[in-house]
């Protein structure tokens, strides 16, 4: 009976492993996009300091912090959750 359950869980494990891989690839792509965003924000921050636009400076810093937090949450959800689920299923299947 346990063997039958393992045979049912195996395709689910493969699907979860695929989702984890796709999430990992998307996270890496998102990191490149966010790096370009952070570069634009950094250039804008330097320009704001040079021109004395302090309100714009604080808005840009806020946007940078929010973008970083979004990337952090996306990276956790897209990779860590699915990897932990995949590891749990793998332990069950290969036990």
């Amino acid at each position: 009976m346990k063997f039958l359950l393992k045979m049912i869980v195996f395709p689910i494990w493969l699907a979860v492993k695929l989702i984890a891989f796709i999430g990992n690839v998307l996270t890496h792509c998102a990191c490149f996009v966010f790096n370009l965003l952070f570069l634009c924000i950094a250039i804008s921050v330097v320009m704001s300091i040079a021109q004395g636009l302090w309100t714009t400076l604080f808005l840009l810093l806020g946007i940078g912090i929010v973008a970083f937090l979004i990337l952090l949450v996306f990276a956790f959800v897209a990779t860590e959750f699915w990897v932990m689920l995949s590891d749990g299923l793998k332990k069950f299947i290969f036990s």
Side-chain angles (χ1 to χ4, degrees), residues 22-86:
I22 291 171
N24 193 12
V25 170
L26 288 176
T27 301
H28 288 291
C29 293
C31 287
F32 290 123
V33 171
F34 274 106
N35 282 337
L36 292 175
L37 174 68
F38 289 140
L39 183 63
C40 292
I41 289 174
I43 292 169
S44 299
V45 163
V46 171
M47 292 295 293
S48 296
I49 291 172
Q51 294 176 356
L53 302 172
W54 300 107
T55 306
T56 306
L57 169 70
F58 292 125
L59 286 173
L60 287 169
L61 289 177
I63 290 170
I65 291 169
V66 168
F68 178 74
L69 292 175
I70 288 172
L71 176 64
L72 189 67
V73 168
F74 179 73
F76 176 75
V77 170
T79 57
E80 293 301 320
F81 173 75
W82 293 106
V83 168
M84 289 186 305
L85 183 61
S86 172

Side-chain angles (χ1 to χ4, degrees), residues 9-21 86 89 93-94:
V9 172
F10 184 73
I12 296 170
W13 175 66
L14 288 177
V16 168
K17 199 72 164 167
L18 179 66
I19 291 171
F21 175 73
S86 172
L89 289 174
I93 291 171
F94 294 111

